[in-house]
């Protein structure tokens, strides 16, 4: 098993390299980069602002500006020296291949650079936003799995019963309601929107969090995340519940289950001693995708509605504003976590079913 883990860890390097390379050249070729964004702002305000560049570098910038026309749309009417200074500020005065190799060199040492529009490094921004995303992703995923797997097993065992019909109705309704709509309903009902004001609407903790006791801090934390986590759970448990039910139904009808019952084993012995580990394989296979989706992208609308400043909102704002260091930094972190999670998923396979031998696989 150790050899397989080592091969998978080594495979992460070229995978990260390929993803970064593809995204780098696609994003660099897309119009509306940071220089164009700043030019648009300057034109909107009608100001000929100056950009802070070291005095020794300004002479070279001025010469470059005189010797060529601007390649940016909307730059007509702006001082060419200003456009050259903007290029220097955002690193676009260097050829594409130099920017690419600089990016790779920096990322090898986990140096993600500085945000274009925020006075912070990318790693500081990620660390600052991480508690919100961890809170939403971890608790939502945990509750979804704790609810969906037992519910799916119960539905499979009672297939066709009233319990199965009523729970299926509830699951379908929960799946039909968009997560953001359910979040709005929770705000209206319980966060002071129209009716009750039982839960806060802003932030992960209260302003006086540091002054609270340990018990008070725990209660305050869960008081703030109760509604957003509830909204994410309601919108996410339907698929896993039905997947668990169908997986168990498929296994229950197989020959080895009939043989186990014929030997006199009880229903629970058959269900949890034989069926469980086989039925759970497909559920474990979908865990990385569900975890990453819930951890990052799935929380964007929830963060907006409940005024939570997490990684989902950070990545969205960086994409809209063409904040390339933040875009590439968050992409790198998301991809790395996804690849490691896939490896953990394979290890879970072995824990559930020791018969699986990954050592026989080459990749």
């Amino acid at each position: 098993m150790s050899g397989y883990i080592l091969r998978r860890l080594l495979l992460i390097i070229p995978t990260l390299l390929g993803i970064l390379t593809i995204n780098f050249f696609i994003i660099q070729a897309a119009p509306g980069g940071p220089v164009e964004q700043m030019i648009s702002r300057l034109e909107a305000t009608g100001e000929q602002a100056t950009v802070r560049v070291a005095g020794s570098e300004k002479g070279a910038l001025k010469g470059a500006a005189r010797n060529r026309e601007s390649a940016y749309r909307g730059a007509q009417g702006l001082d060419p020296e200003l456009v050259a200074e903007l290029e220097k500020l955002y690193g676009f005065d260097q050829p594409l291949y130099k920017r690419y190799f600089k990016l790779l060199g920096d990322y090898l040492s986990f140096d993600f650079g500085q945000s274009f529009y925020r006075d912070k490094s990318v790693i500081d921004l990620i660390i600052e936003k991480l508690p919100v995303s961890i809170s939403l992703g971890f608790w939502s995923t945990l509750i979804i799995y704790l609810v969906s797997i037992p519910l799916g097993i119960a539905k499979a065992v009672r297939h066709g019963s009233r319990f199965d019909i009523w729970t299926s109705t509830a699951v379908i309704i929960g799946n039909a309601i968009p997560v953001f709509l359910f979040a709005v309903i929770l705000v209206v009902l319980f966060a002071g929107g129209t009716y009750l004001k039982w839960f806060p609407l802003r932030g992960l903790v209260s302003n006086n969090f540091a002054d609270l006791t340990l018990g008070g801090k725990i209660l305050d934390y869960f008081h703030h995340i109760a509604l957003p986590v509830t909204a994410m759970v309601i919108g996410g448990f339907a698929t896993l519940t039905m997947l668990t039910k169908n997986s168990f139904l498929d296994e229950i009808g197989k020959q080895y289950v009939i043989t186990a019952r014929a030997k006199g084993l009880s229903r629970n012995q058959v269900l949890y001693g034989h069926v469980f580990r086989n039925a759970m394989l497909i559920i474990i296979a979908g865990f990385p995708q569900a975890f990453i989706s819930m951890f990052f992208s799935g929380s964007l609308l929830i963060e907006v509605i409940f005024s939570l400043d997490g990684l989902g909102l950070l990545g969205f704002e960086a994409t809209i504003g063409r904040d390339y260091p933040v875009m590439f930094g968050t992409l790198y972190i998301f991809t790395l976590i996804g690849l490691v999670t896939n490896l953990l998923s394979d290890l879970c396979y072995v824990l559930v079913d020791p018969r699986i031998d990954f050592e026989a696989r080459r990749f």
Side-chain angles (χ1 to χ4, degrees):
M1 191 65 184
S2 58
Y4 173 75
I5 295 175
L6 179 60
R7 290 196 300 270
R8 285 292 301 271
L9 290 175
L10 293 176
L11 188 61
I12 288 177
I13 298 174
T15 304
L16 277 174
L17 177 62
I19 292 174
L20 275 177
T21 300
I22 293 172
N23 282 274
F24 175 85
F25 287 104
I26 290 176
I27 291 175
Q28 294 288 330
V35 177
E36 289 94 331
Q37 294 271 334
M38 184 58 69
I39 289 174
S40 299
R41 294 179 187 179
L42 294 176
E43 288 185 333
T45 57
E47 297 178 0
Q48 291 283 338
T50 58
V51 181
R52 294 183 180 179
V53 179
S56 60
E57 298 170 345
K58 281 193 174 183
L61 292 175
K62 289 179 180 179
R66 294 191 200 98
N67 294 331
R68 61 171 175 79
E69 295 291 333
S70 177
Y72 301 103
R73 293 182 180 180
Q76 290 79 8
L78 289 179
D79 187 350
E81 296 178 6
L82 174 60
V83 177
E85 290 179 10
L86 288 173
E87 289 182 334
K88 178 66 179 180
L89 178 66
Y90 296 123
F92 281 81
D93 58 324
Q94 298 294 324
L96 183 63
Y97 73 92
K98 287 188 177 181
R99 300 203 301 271
Y100 170 69
F101 286 114
K102 182 180 185 304
L103 177 78
L104 295 184
D106 291 340
Y107 275 39
L108 284 175
S109 59
F110 281 83
D111 179 10
F112 302 131
Q114 293 283 128
S115 169
F116 284 161
Y117 308 120
R118 305 172 189 239
D119 191 22
K120 289 184 178 179
S121 66
V122 174
I123 194 66
D124 287 341
L125 282 172
I126 292 175
I127 293 173
E128 180 184 313
K129 313 299 182 184
L130 204 54
V132 170
S133 295
I134 289 178
S135 297
L136 295 179
F138 174 77
W139 292 113
S140 299
T141 306
L142 179 64
I143 294 173
I144 286 173
Y145 271 76
L146 289 178
V147 172
S148 298
I149 292 177
L151 179 60
I153 295 174
K155 286 173 63 62
V157 173
R158 298 171 177 84
H159 179 61
S161 66
R162 287 187 176 182
F163 172 81
D164 183 35
I165 295 172
W166 283 108
T167 52
S168 293
T169 303
V171 166
I172 292 172
I173 293 175
N175 191 44
I177 301 176
V179 174
F180 74 89
L181 180 59
F182 194 79
V184 172
I185 293 173
L186 291 178
V187 170
V188 172
L189 294 179
F190 302 111
T194 302
Y195 300 98
L196 305 173
K197 194 174 182 180
W198 290 353
F199 297 93
L201 188 57
R202 184 179 297 276
L204 195 61
V205 294
S206 300
N207 293 330
N208 63 337
F209 182 78
D211 300 328
L212 300 176
T213 61
L214 178 60
K217 289 180 178 179
I218 295 174
L219 289 175
D220 182 71
Y221 169 73
F222 283 107
H223 190 214
H224 279 76
I225 68 170
L227 290 188
V229 168
T230 300
M232 296 180 71
V233 167
I234 294 298
F237 82 100
T239 302
L240 183 60
T241 299
M242 299 308 296
L243 178 64
T244 303
K245 175 192 173 182
N246 294 333
S247 179
F248 271 79
L249 279 177
D250 183 58
E251 292 295 326
I252 287 173
K254 291 185 176 180
Q255 184 64 41
Y256 74 89
V257 176
I258 299 174
T259 303
R261 286 176 176 172
K263 291 180 177 179
L265 297 179
S266 67
R267 187 181 70 175
N268 285 341
Q269 287 177 320
V270 174
L271 190 63
Y272 296 104
H274 296 275
V275 175
F276 184 82
R277 65 182 182 181
N278 293 325
M280 287 298 293
L281 291 178
I282 190 173
I283 298 169
I284 293 173
F287 173 76
Q289 181 180 358
F291 179 74
I292 296 300
S293 176
M294 191 68 67
F295 205 108
F296 300 110
S297 59
S299 65
L300 172 58
L301 293 176
I302 298 298
E303 291 177 15
V304 173
I305 293 172
F306 290 99
S307 301
L308 297 170
D309 195 5
L311 286 177
L313 187 59
L314 175 66
F316 175 75
E317 291 178 345
T319 303
I320 295 298
R322 300 295 196 275
D323 195 344
Y324 288 169
V326 177
M327 289 174 63
F328 288 122
T330 52
L331 171 69
Y332 186 85
I333 295 296
F334 294 173
T335 304
L336 183 60
I337 292 176
L339 293 172
V340 172
T341 307
N342 273 313
L343 176 57
L344 294 177
S345 176
D346 285 349
L347 298 180
C348 289
Y349 274 125
V350 178
L351 292 177
V352 173
D353 190 350
R355 295 172 300 174
I356 296 176
D357 182 15
F358 284 111
E359 283 289 354
R361 296 176 56 183
R362 300 189 61 182
F363 298 100

